[in-house]
Amino acid sequence: MKVSGPTGPNMTPQARPTRSAGGFSMAGTTSTSSPAPSVSANAAGGVADVSALMALQGVETATEGRRRGIRRGRGLLDRLDEIKLALLAGESGESALMGLARDLGEHRPDEADAGLKGLLDQIDLRARVELAKAEQRRSATRTHGN
């Protein structure tokens, strides 16, 4: 059976079942015994559709991983800006430092794009440097304060 457009099913002559006096038979068979199981010609098309959907999900996952990486990088840069503004205002920026340490500790998605990976590596390094500098300032304050 072939379905074509909004008019409904369109039976092709070779797909129409034929009737015989003793029972019925499928097109192309002459036996009046039980018909052989029919195999759909669209079965291969169904497998191809599933493969296409799985491939599409893989693309969405890669795209989502890229988005997460970009979002993480932007978040780290925002924290670095908060620290800079706090230091310029003469404040310690402890809340921004704690947020930076927390964000840096989050899982970083693997990135297939070498350019984005390199950029995220640089942002991570800069964030680690700022955390190390803050720790040195704390140590110096404790040493000179006691």
Side-chain angles (χ1 to χ4, degrees):
M1 177 185 297
K2 180 178 177 185
V3 177
S4 60
T7 59
N10 183 11
M11 300 286 286
T12 57
Q14 60 270 36
R16 289 188 182 161
T18 58
R19 296 188 186 260
S20 64
F24 76 92
S25 65
M26 300 299 286
T29 61
T30 56
S31 171
T32 59
S33 63
S34 64
S38 166
V39 177
S40 173
N42 291 331
V47 172
D49 292 341
V50 171
S51 297
L53 285 174
M54 291 177 72
L56 181 60
Q57 286 177 344
V59 168
E60 290 172 354
T61 302
T63 303
E64 183 58 31
R66 179 177 169 79
R67 285 184 189 150
R68 278 193 310 256
I70 292 171
R71 193 176 316 124
R72 181 177 185 272
R74 284 184 179 157
L76 289 173
L77 289 173
D78 289 344
R79 296 290 185 183
L80 289 169
D81 278 344
E82 289 174 21
I83 293 168
K84 176 183 71 174
L85 292 173
L87 291 174
L88 289 173
E91 300 169 0
S92 66
E94 282 299 316
S95 64
L97 285 167
M98 290 187 318
L100 181 66
R102 184 187 63 242
D103 291 351
L104 197 55
E106 289 179 359
H107 173 70
R108 179 175 158 183
D110 294 331
E111 185 54 49
D113 181 6
L116 180 59
K117 182 181 182 317
L119 184 61
L120 292 175
D121 288 344
Q122 291 176 11
I123 293 171
D124 283 2
L125 178 62
R126 184 68 202 160
R128 289 187 197 326
V129 166
E130 286 303 318
L131 289 174
K133 287 168 59 176
E135 184 59 35
Q136 282 183 337
R137 284 191 300 267
R138 277 189 229 125
S139 295
T141 303
R142 279 186 250 142
T143 303
H144 294 298
N146 288 335

